Amino acid sequence: MEYLTKWFEDNQTLFIDGIISLVVAFFIVWLGLKLAKFCSNLVMKLLEKKSVDKAVSAFIASLLNAILVAAVIIAALSHVGVQTATFVAILGAAGLAIGLSLQGSLSNFASGILISVFRPFKAGDFVQAGGVSGVVKEIQIFSTILTTPDNKFVVVPNAQVTGSPITNFSKNDTRRIDMVIGVSYTADLQKAEALLKDILEKHELVLKEPGYTVGVSALNSSSVDFVVRPWVKTSDYWPVHFDLTKTIKLELDKANIGIPYPQMDVHLHSVDKK
């Protein structure tokens, strides 16, 4: 006990300085994390004011936050006496080892940069990417956040997004609805075609330019198939699709034009018994 007391008396100044350094280091970390979050949020708001896409601004903000946090940790370690040059070298070696073991994460990071630069989609677009269909919420460092039509929250790795075809349903202002309508072989084809065209002409959400297409596409086993291809605004795609499907069925029924379904004729042959 006397030894400890004497050691404390001899090293009191050093001990107090060490405690102060630790307290200051913890304060640097605490304040630094707060400032990193504040700066990243500020950058995100400034980018959004400059009309930068929300998904891209979120990616840049999260990247900035990660860089600032790393700088804060290095500053705190430097304050308590850790040689930062050595630490950075060790960190680099460790980063290399971790990078080799986490190649997928680095690939996701690189893919996130590619998505932000080339911008195949933006926040709010409905896309099919990485095998998932949904509305883009934001692009993060390693992943892209989508919300599915049934309101599921889906996290898709960025490498999976760039490594597969990306279909952006919201990119263009207009879309074409592709429908196939089958009528009976006994139906008057001229009458059926005129009726389908009349339905499209009267629908207020069907665009006049570019023009629609109605024509016989195939002679199937149980029906004569018409293709019906109107153009609509992208935002009106599903409402018009549902409404046209219903209207066509009702109008064909009124005109006594049958819509056939697969049937099988069975022929029975009687055999005379001798």
Side-chain angles (χ1 to χ4, degrees), residues 10-21:
D10 293 339
N11 298 277
Q12 184 176 3
T13 302
L14 182 62
F15 182 76
I16 293 175
D17 289 342
I19 293 296
I20 294 174
S21 295

Side-chain angles (χ1 to χ4, degrees), residues 196-245:
L196 293 172
K197 289 182 178 179
D198 185 61
I199 292 173
L200 298 183
E201 288 285 349
K202 292 180 178 179
H203 202 290
E204 59 182 8
L205 296 181
V206 172
L207 299 178
K208 303 303 179 183
E209 292 294 336
Y212 58 78
T213 299
V214 175
V216 176
S217 64
L219 302 176
N220 282 325
S221 58
S222 59
S223 66
V224 178
D225 290 346
F226 282 90
V227 290
V228 179
R229 296 173 177 172
W231 287 86
V232 297
K233 292 182 179 179
T234 299
S235 58
D236 294 333
Y237 181 87
W238 285 114
V240 175
H241 189 285
F242 295 144
D243 189 46
L244 283 179
T245 303

Side-chain angles (χ1 to χ4, degrees), residues 16-262:
I16 293 175
D17 289 342
I19 293 296
I20 294 174
S21 295
L22 285 174
V23 171
V24 173
F26 279 117
F27 178 76
I28 290 174
V29 172
W30 176 81
L31 182 61
L33 294 179
K34 294 286 186 181
L35 288 174
K37 186 176 182 180
F38 172 79
C39 290
S40 62
N41 289 337
L42 179 62
V43 168
M44 186 171 180
K45 290 179 180 178
L46 290 175
L47 290 174
E48 290 179 352
K49 286 183 178 180
K50 295 293 184 180
S51 300
V52 176
D53 180 53
K54 183 179 178 181
V56 176
S57 60
F59 175 82
I60 295 174
S62 59
L63 181 60
L64 175 63
N65 184 70
I67 294 173
L68 292 177
V69 168
V72 167
I73 293 174
I74 292 175
L77 291 174
S78 176
H79 186 78
V80 296
V82 177
Q83 295 295 325
T84 54
T86 304
F87 175 75
V88 170
I90 295 173
L91 186 62
L96 178 61
I98 294 172
L100 292 174
S101 61
L102 297 177
Q103 295 182 30
S105 297
L106 293 178
S107 177
N108 289 330
F109 176 74
S111 297
I113 294 177
L114 291 176
I115 293 172
S116 298
V117 172
F118 293 104
R119 299 182 64 185
F121 49 74
K122 64 181 185 298
D125 284 353
F126 185 83
V127 302
Q128 183 177 28
V132 180
S133 297
V135 177
V136 178
K137 290 302 180 183
E138 61 180 271
I139 304 169
Q140 298 182 347
I141 296 179
F142 299 110
S143 59
T144 297
I145 309 300
L146 300 178
T147 300
T148 62
D150 55 346
N151 205 31
K152 292 178 182 176
F153 181 87
V154 182
V155 180
V156 184
N158 286 332
Q160 187 172 324
V161 173
T162 57
S164 60
I166 300 172
T167 303
N168 190 335
F169 297 96
S170 305
K171 184 71 173 179
N172 297 323
D173 294 332
T174 59
R175 285 184 64 186
R176 190 182 73 184
I177 300 176
D178 290 351
M179 307 177 70
V180 177
I181 306 298
V183 300
S184 171
Y185 268 93
T186 60
D188 185 335
L189 295 186
Q190 298 293 344
K191 181 179 179 181
E193 182 177 355
L195 186 147
L196 293 172
K197 289 182 178 179
D198 185 61
I199 292 173
L200 298 183
E201 288 285 349
K202 292 180 178 179
H203 202 290
E204 59 182 8
L205 296 181
V206 172
L207 299 178
K208 303 303 179 183
E209 292 294 336
Y212 58 78
T213 299
V214 175
V216 176
S217 64
L219 302 176
N220 282 325
S221 58
S222 59
S223 66
V224 178
D225 290 346
F226 282 90
V227 290
V228 179
R229 296 173 177 172
W231 287 86
V232 297
K233 292 182 179 179
T234 299
S235 58
D236 294 333
Y237 181 87
W238 285 114
V240 175
H241 189 285
F242 295 144
D243 189 46
L244 283 179
T245 303
K246 177 182 176 181
T247 303
I248 289 173
K249 173 64 169 67
L250 294 175
E251 293 300 321
L252 289 178
D253 287 346
K254 289 181 181 178
N256 293 319
I257 298 175
I259 301 178
Y261 48 87

